Amino acid sequence: MIDFIAVNEPLLDGNEKKYLLECIETGWISSEGPFVKEFEQKFAARMGRKHGIAVCNGTAAIDAAVDALGIGQGDEVIMPTFTIISCINQIVRNGGKPVLVDSDPLTWNMDVSQIEAKITPRTKAIMIVHIFGLPVDIDPVLEIAKRYELKVIEDAAEMHGQTYKGKPCGSFGDISTFSFYPNKHVTTGEGGMILTDDDELAETCRSLRNLCFQPQKRFVHERLGWNMRMTNMQAALGLAQLERLDDFVQRKRQMGLRFTELLGKLQGVQLPLAATDYAKSIYWVYGIILNESTGLNAEQVMKRLGEKGVGSRPFFYPMHQQPVFRKMRLFEGEKYPVAERMAVQGFYIPSGMALTEVQMENVAERVREVLN
Ligand SMILES: Cc1ncc(COP(=O)(O)O)c(C=O)c1O
């Protein structure tokens, strides 16, 4: 039996156990418990925002953000095609129109130079989605949004602890969202957070998260919401994780640079950029794009790595190629060559917080074997 190296293993050896035990001992296990508010406040403060609204996952955070901004029938939202489906769901459900842009081949983020040409009188918002380790080049997006009076949603699901020109990711635009899935720099098992500086938006999100119960007439509803509440136990984990965020970021940066050292001489691959002029990568995951010259695609390499005991995951599959949207006749005839290529040739190797130096050397060795 080979020891399988999982694609992600979180580190839970700080105050996680202590805070969780407190939930059990005090009986505070629901969303009414005190850790939820504390986590919201501390997380928002860390990201430089006024309000934090904890929810059950990062997808729910985006759903609520889109709804709270009033994105509805016919409203256009400019966003990257290369992302997770979580970003687009609620726009489509509300009858809005996602308008896609391709990716930058080096940073793998949305190519912001393509945004302005996509603006129409129906454009209501731009959704920034930071991908894998480096933030989107945010300033040009904010400048366009200001000029055309557009809302900005920042999906910072993968960017805990990252900064753009020294300012925390998650602090930009009208509303931002995070995920706390176990592969994130801060995990709560499942969980998410909405951040905003706008009092009214925050209130709307709090209401949407809690089925739009009304304070005075609890079971009388003026609007449709969801039960997206985060439990006290999830918040307990989140608080303990947040205490270590700086260490986690440092650790992931070291891991990313170490992988680049180990794999740097390999022919036929594109490794993640370490930095741009506005940020250093936090290597949420360590992605690899195979050159066509290798004669291999990501699916084949991932299969061979799996046989050698190394976990991996494919890159995102572009929104314009999703069967669900084809059936809805969305994005017909649209082509985004950079994203399409990344989806076929890209994958990521084990990138969890608990990965050891020996495991990293082992992973790199297996990658070399498969590609040589
Ligand atoms: C960019 C991005 N947005 C949203 C999400 C959704 O978060 P969750 O899995 O917590 O629903 C993810 C999840 O990994 C993500 O990577």
Side-chain angles (χ1 to χ4, degrees):
M1 258 283 286
I2 35 174
D3 256 350
F4 195 80
I5 304 178
V7 77
N8 175 67
E9 206 184 314
L11 257 192
L12 303 167
D13 54 359
N15 282 322
E16 287 82 357
K17 210 173 179 175
K18 181 175 159 212
Y19 296 165
L20 269 179
L21 204 62
E22 201 175 313
C23 297
I24 293 165
E25 283 171 356
T26 59
W28 282 116
I29 55 173
S30 76
S31 58
E32 298 283 313
F35 285 140
V36 179
K37 271 215 165 47
E38 192 181 341
F39 182 43
E40 288 177 334
Q41 282 164 0
K42 289 192 169 155
F43 193 82
R46 176 67 169 75
M47 303 309 159
R49 283 284 208 193
K50 189 169 172 192
H51 300 282
I53 300 104
V55 292
C56 55
N57 55 61
T59 305
I62 301 170
D63 289 351
V66 166
D67 230 47
L69 286 176
I71 291 163
Q73 199 63 40
D75 290 333
E76 296 180 3
V77 180
I78 300 175
M79 59 180 294
T81 188
F82 186 79
T83 186
I84 189 168
I85 198 154
S86 312
C87 297
I88 203 170
N89 277 345
Q90 194 59 21
I91 301 169
V92 174
R93 286 196 188 112
N94 281 358
K97 185 180 170 204
V99 174
L100 306 175
V101 298
D102 205 354
S103 308
D104 177 293
L106 292 179
T107 64
W108 307 341
N109 272 310
M110 70 196 292
D111 180 350
V112 298
S113 71
Q114 296 183 16
I115 293 175
E116 194 163 1
K118 299 267 176 157
I119 292 175
T120 76
R122 312 208 70 159
T123 308
K124 181 146 186 178
I126 303 173
M127 185 185 286
I128 291 170
V129 187
H130 308 296
I131 301 284
F132 295 168
L134 283 167
V136 169
D137 189 5
I138 302 174
D139 277 349
V141 182
L142 296 181
E143 189 276 316
I144 292 170
K146 193 167 173 204
R147 204 152 27 93
Y148 290 90
E149 295 182 22
L150 305 175
K151 301 286 183 197
V152 174
I153 306 172
E154 183 194 5
D155 179 14
E158 307 173 358
M159 278 313 112
H160 316 65
Q162 178 58 292
T163 56
Y164 172 80
K165 297 186 178 172
K167 199 169 171 254
C169 287
S171 68
F172 295 93
D174 298 274
I175 199 160
S176 41
T177 58
F178 282 87
S179 162
F180 303 123
Y181 190 71
N183 58 5
K184 302 304 188 302
H185 283 51
V186 167
T187 183
T188 60
E190 298 283 351
M193 185 81 80
I194 304 162
L195 299 181
T196 181
D197 295 322
D198 184 305
D199 298 346
E200 206 174 311
L201 264 182
E203 216 26 64
T204 305
C205 289
R206 279 194 197 101
S207 178
L208 286 171
R209 157 182 79 174
N210 197 23
L211 289 165
C212 297
F213 285 134
Q214 299 198 82
Q216 313 304 337
K217 293 185 175 174
R218 184 169 175 83
F219 294 111
V220 179
H221 303 266
E222 299 281 348
R223 185 173 179 165
L224 293 180
W226 296 266
N227 177 352
M228 296 177 168
R229 299 183 301 257
M230 174 183 274
T231 69
N232 202 46
M233 296 178 289
Q234 289 167 295
L237 277 180
L239 265 179
Q241 291 264 296
L242 185 60
E243 289 169 359
R244 309 165 71 200
L245 179 54
D246 290 337
D247 285 348
F248 285 164
V249 168
Q250 201 189 1
R251 189 180 177 103
K252 286 286 268 229
R253 282 202 169 122
Q254 279 166 356
M255 284 166 51
L257 295 173
R258 180 73 181 126
F259 264 141
T260 298
E261 209 171 74
L262 290 165
L263 296 169
K265 292 208 173 72
L266 201 60
Q267 297 294 309
V269 293
Q270 180 190 346
L271 304 178
L273 260 195
T276 61
D277 54 3
Y278 48 79
K280 284 195 290 179
S281 181
I282 55 163
Y283 299 96
W284 169 57
V285 293
Y286 195 92
I288 296 177
I289 299 183
L290 301 161
N291 288 349
E292 285 74 2
S293 62
T294 58
L296 294 166
N297 63 33
E299 203 175 309
Q300 293 160 332
V301 170
M302 287 191 302
K303 185 165 179 288
R304 291 186 205 174
L305 282 174
E307 288 159 3
K308 290 174 179 287
V310 173
S312 59
R313 289 279 184 284
F315 272 15
F316 293 131
Y317 195 72
M319 293 304 107
H320 68 284
Q321 294 184 311
Q322 296 290 343
V324 61
F325 298 135
R326 286 246 162 99
K327 280 184 230 154
M328 297 165 106
R329 316 203 70 153
L330 281 171
F331 315 123
E332 274 184 329
E334 294 182 29
K335 290 204 169 12
Y336 302 95
V338 178
E340 286 167 25
R341 173 173 182 258
M342 293 201 304
V344 177
Q345 299 299 108
F347 66 102
Y348 64 86
I349 53 180
S351 306
M353 208 63 77
L355 205 63
T356 64
E357 167 65 22
V358 173
Q359 285 178 319
M360 288 177 65
E361 286 170 14
N362 197 331
V363 169
E365 192 51 43
R366 300 289 93 74
V367 171
R368 268 196 297 271
E369 279 170 18
V370 169
L371 288 176
N372 281 331

